[in-house]
Amino acid sequence: MLCQECQERPASLHFTKIINGEKTEIHVCETCAKDKGDQFQGSNNFSIHQLLSGLLDAGQSLSASQSQPYKKTQPDLKCPSCGMEYKQFAKVGRLGCADCYRTFNQKLEPVFKRIHGGNSVHSGKIPKRKGKDLHVHREIENLKEKMKKLIEQEEFEKAAETRDRIRSLEESLNNKGGA
Amino acid sequence: MSLGPFINEAVSPWMKNEGPEADIVISSRIRLARNLQDVTYPLLADKEQLEKIVGKVEDKFAGHSHRRFGQLELLKMNDLKANDKRVLVEKHLISPNLATDSKAGAVLLSEDESLSVMVNEEDHLRIQCLLSGFQLDEGLKYANDMDDWMEEKLDFAFDEKRGYLTTCPTNVGTGLRSSVMMHLPALVLTKNLNRILPAINQLGLVVRGIYGEGSEALGNLFQVSNQTTLGKSEKDIVEDLRNVVTQLIQQERAARKTLLEQSQNKLEDRIYRSYGILAYSRRMESKEAMQRLSDVRLGIDMGLIKNVNGKILNELMILTQPGFLQQYAGEKLNSEQRDERRAAVIRERFNLETNG
């Protein structure tokens, strides 16, 4: 496929934008993407990565920035546990310790989405020993999802069974917390 | 030592078993990144902190026997000679970074070398499982087993929302990198691969040469792996990769068939020229060696060359790397000497074939 801008080089970057259900596809080469970066996004000095990430989570970051004002995160954030500064992280692209994730949480959210195709919440393995309760939480979430579907399908009997199962799981969690 | 026994020792036991789809998929790899809770990551930790981690791992796992992996052995980087480390890198058991950059690096190895756990690489622990052929599910199962075992005795940095907390945000969540090494000569020859690659990138997967990021695809070998580690389950990540690899296998097979139908004579000419050069040349650069070996391997896999074992590419791919050549020679070699040695090793290996 040729670049739709210069019609010379092969298109190496492909964007699909869906805004209000309207789909726009853009196929450009790297050079034209650099040239047209501002045109696509409507701001200056956009690198390819920013352009890409901007398109990837345009919708989410808009709502996220409304609910959490940007002024909260100042550039001189520093992790209390390991001393890593945000500036330093931005340069090396690596974090200093587990607590950095909490310290830089707000700033990391869009980074995760950018890197992981719009995802920022883990849905994989939970460590067996450390995450015993987490396992139960995860199962409850799954059951709730299942119950919703069952209700939609009007399988009320099965939905009631699922509800009971959720209740007993929630109770087991509460009991443990109280003991 | 003569070449036969040397190969026996040099080639990891896991490589000797031929895995599924071995004519196209060389190996499958699963890697899990884990860190210890309340300990600074290797990037910022000092040597003392890192040595403590090595000590912990040694204490709890080295010399212990696991039902699946057998006895595990711990090797500390600071105790190894430079070339020994290089050989470990060339066997893909450790990364170049662990060999040269870690302040207190170590690796825990299983007997058959299908499992290795790097200590103090970018993350505190990197559990890696390597299997021959197309065996992603098995790899994930083994790596998970090791992960579970280690978690029984160590506290991992884990967050309900973000998952396993890794040093680099590109690994956060599952910490899983699953990858498959593929031999795709027909797709390269028919120039179809360039058409397919952009589509693969759009699916959240990456295709690289065998030596990782930015490396050229030597010997028509490509590594396909997942990029997304957060928001999908381990099973889904592996499943997505498997689907794409399955399609690549089908495409490669179709391209091989087309080559055979449309230009068998040309193809045979190319393959036998490479065969002749490998069997008789006196000097061989690594790049040329990889290309020629790829041709011969294609000839073997397509049934055009009959008297040579298909494992030859896998073996020579490993044996003709600088570290192994030096180990076999028992001395340090400059690049001129290596080219000479490389040609000699290849000739000798081909002789082993024809003499039985």
Side-chain angles (χ1 to χ4, degrees):
Chain A
M1 186 186 294
L2 279 179
C3 169
Q4 65 185 46
E5 288 295 326
C6 61
Q7 301 289 344
E8 276 172 22
R9 291 169 287 261
S12 55
L13 294 159
H14 311 272
F15 304 116
T16 308
K17 249 194 306 194
I18 301 175
I19 296 169
N20 295 332
E22 199 179 314
K23 194 167 150 192
T24 326
E25 283 186 42
I26 304 171
H27 307 279
V28 287
C29 66
E30 208 149 317
T31 318
C32 291
K34 255 183 206 151
D35 292 346
K36 302 284 171 192
D38 47 348
Q39 208 168 306
F40 288 154
Q41 194 57 25
S43 73
N44 290 324
N45 301 326
F46 252 59
S47 76
I48 301 267
H49 294 289
Q50 285 168 312
L51 176 68
L52 189 63
S53 61
L55 286 169
L56 271 176
D57 59 357
Q60 285 109 321
S61 66
L62 206 67
S63 57
S65 61
Q66 275 162 356
S67 58
Q68 297 168 329
Y70 267 125
K71 58 185 175 205
K72 264 192 181 168
T73 46
Q74 294 300 323
D76 55 345
L77 271 176
K78 190 173 175 178
C79 177
S81 304
C82 68
M84 172 72 90
E85 288 180 26
Y86 188 79
K87 264 184 290 182
Q88 197 183 348
F89 161 68
K91 213 156 103 195
V92 296
R94 286 174 289 172
L95 296 156
C97 69
D99 290 336
C100 286
Y101 279 89
R102 220 172 308 138
T103 314
F104 306 133
N105 186 30
Q106 279 197 24
K107 292 223 163 199
L108 284 172
E109 179 86 19
V111 176
F112 292 145
K113 286 187 175 161
R114 203 175 303 163
I115 303 171
H116 300 288
N119 297 312
S120 65
V121 179
H122 179 57
S123 67
K125 186 173 181 177
I126 292 172
K128 282 202 176 110
R129 187 172 52 84
K130 199 188 164 194
K132 246 189 201 149
D133 285 355
L134 294 182
H135 273 292
V136 182
H137 281 295
R138 180 73 55 91
E139 205 190 333
I140 292 174
E141 285 308 308
N142 288 340
L143 286 171
K144 280 185 180 163
E145 197 66 25
K146 192 177 153 197
M147 189 169 71
K148 239 203 269 170
K149 269 192 202 135
L150 287 170
I151 292 173
E152 274 167 25
Q153 293 160 1
E154 304 190 359
E155 305 237 27
F156 298 115
E157 220 164 284
K158 281 186 189 158
E161 277 170 30
T162 313
R163 184 202 56 209
D164 293 344
R165 172 105 183 95
I166 294 171
R167 274 197 192 146
S168 78
L169 282 173
E170 279 173 343
E171 263 164 38
S172 76
L173 274 180
N174 289 340
N175 287 344
K176 224 174 19 190
Chain B
M1 204 192 298
S2 69
L3 191 65
F6 180 75
I7 291 176
N8 236 339
E9 273 184 32
V11 175
S12 300
W14 66 264
M15 269 190 66
K16 290 175 190 154
N17 310 317
E18 194 160 283
E21 317 288 352
D23 58 329
I24 294 174
V25 179
I26 312 283
S27 60
S28 304
R29 191 175 75 108
I30 295 284
R31 182 268 276 157
L32 297 171
R34 299 291 184 253
N35 284 286
L36 304 186
Q37 204 180 354
D38 305 324
V39 187
T40 311
Y41 292 169
L43 177 68
L44 295 182
D46 56 39
K47 199 174 170 196
E48 200 184 321
Q49 284 172 303
L50 295 175
E51 275 171 351
K52 234 188 227 169
I53 298 171
V54 174
K56 250 188 195 174
V57 171
E58 185 167 28
D59 223 40
K60 295 179 199 287
F61 304 100
H64 291 246
S65 202
H66 184 273
R67 64 193 149 78
R68 196 183 307 267
F69 310 113
Q71 195 92 342
L72 297 171
E73 184 189 4
L74 186 97
L75 302 172
K76 293 179 190 168
M77 290 304 118
N78 293 336
D79 296 346
L80 294 177
K81 284 189 220 116
N83 202 59
D84 291 340
K85 287 194 259 185
R86 192 161 186 172
V87 164
L88 288 175
V89 173
E90 290 175 2
K91 282 173 136 179
H92 296 280
L93 294 173
I94 64 171
S95 67
N97 281 344
L98 187 80
T100 52
D101 299 342
S102 180
K103 282 167 259 182
V107 63
L108 198 60
L109 280 179
S110 72
E111 271 165 33
D112 70 349
E113 297 180 354
S114 66
L115 180 101
S116 70
V117 181
M118 285 191 274
V119 186
N120 294 333
E121 213 256 11
E122 188 181 280
D123 294 295
H124 290 145
L125 300 171
R126 286 209 160 176
I127 300 166
Q128 173 186 276
C129 186
L130 256 175
L131 293 173
S132 67
F134 196 19
Q135 302 192 66
L136 285 171
D137 288 340
E138 289 78 0
L140 181 62
K141 204 160 66 193
Y142 296 170
N144 265 331
D145 270 4
M146 188 64 194
D147 179 41
D148 291 342
W149 189 36
M150 296 194 94
E151 205 258 336
E152 282 173 23
K153 303 180 182 189
L154 299 168
D155 284 320
F156 287 162
F158 180 85
D159 177 82
E160 188 175 2
K161 191 169 172 205
R162 306 292 187 206
Y164 292 94
L165 304 176
T166 53
T167 302
C168 184
T170 52
N171 295 316
V172 75
T174 55
L176 169 69
R177 187 82 64 225
S178 53
S179 59
V180 169
M181 174 112 73
M182 308 184 78
H183 184 225
L184 304 172
L187 284 178
V188 173
L189 269 176
T190 55
K191 302 207 163 46
N192 273 323
L193 196 65
N194 291 339
R195 214 168 36 82
I196 301 169
L197 290 188
I200 293 179
N201 289 333
Q202 279 178 308
L203 295 169
L205 301 174
V206 205
V207 183
R208 305 188 180 105
I210 48 170
Y211 292 107
E213 219 142 337
S215 64
E216 205 182 338
L218 284 176
N220 300 316
L221 292 167
F222 297 87
Q223 197 179 297
V224 189
S225 57
N226 67 295
Q227 194 160 37
T228 305
T229 58
L230 184 65
K232 285 205 247 177
S233 72
E234 286 81 358
K235 228 178 117 213
D236 288 348
I237 290 172
V238 167
E239 181 76 35
D240 287 354
L241 177 65
R242 197 193 19 234
N243 286 338
V244 169
V245 170
T246 305
Q247 285 181 45
L248 274 171
I249 292 173
Q250 286 163 356
Q251 297 267 358
E252 169 69 18
R253 293 232 168 92
R256 287 182 186 187
K257 208 168 148 234
T258 312
L259 280 177
L260 208 54
E261 283 164 6
Q262 294 179 356
S263 41
Q264 176 163 359
N265 181 260
K266 258 174 148 175
L267 182 67
E268 276 185 84
D269 181 62
R270 181 191 172 104
I271 287 166
Y272 275 103
R273 273 171 195 276
S274 287
Y275 184 91
I277 286 169
L278 287 173
Y280 294 104
S281 69
R282 283 345 196 219
R283 308 187 62 77
M284 181 71 71
E285 283 182 16
S286 65
K287 202 171 160 184
E288 183 183 0
M290 293 297 268
Q291 186 53 51
R292 303 285 178 203
L293 285 167
S294 168
D295 287 344
V296 170
R297 166 88 191 241
L298 179 66
I300 297 166
D301 289 337
M302 290 178 73
L304 298 171
I305 297 180
K306 293 211 166 62
N307 56 345
V308 183
N309 190 314
K311 283 194 300 196
I312 200 163
L313 176 82
N314 298 15
E315 280 177 19
L316 284 174
M317 207 173 78
I318 292 202
L319 290 171
T320 54
Q321 298 175 101
F324 270 108
L325 288 175
Q326 293 183 130
Q327 203 191 39
Y328 186 43
E331 59 183 330
K332 213 167 159 23
L333 304 168
N334 63 30
S335 81
E336 293 267 308
Q337 292 168 316
R338 286 204 299 266
D339 289 350
E340 204 181 315
R341 279 278 176 171
R342 184 173 294 117
V345 164
I346 294 171
R347 284 201 314 273
E348 220 179 309
R349 179 67 186 83
F350 270 69
N351 269 331
L352 283 181
E353 266 329 296
T354 36
N355 299 337

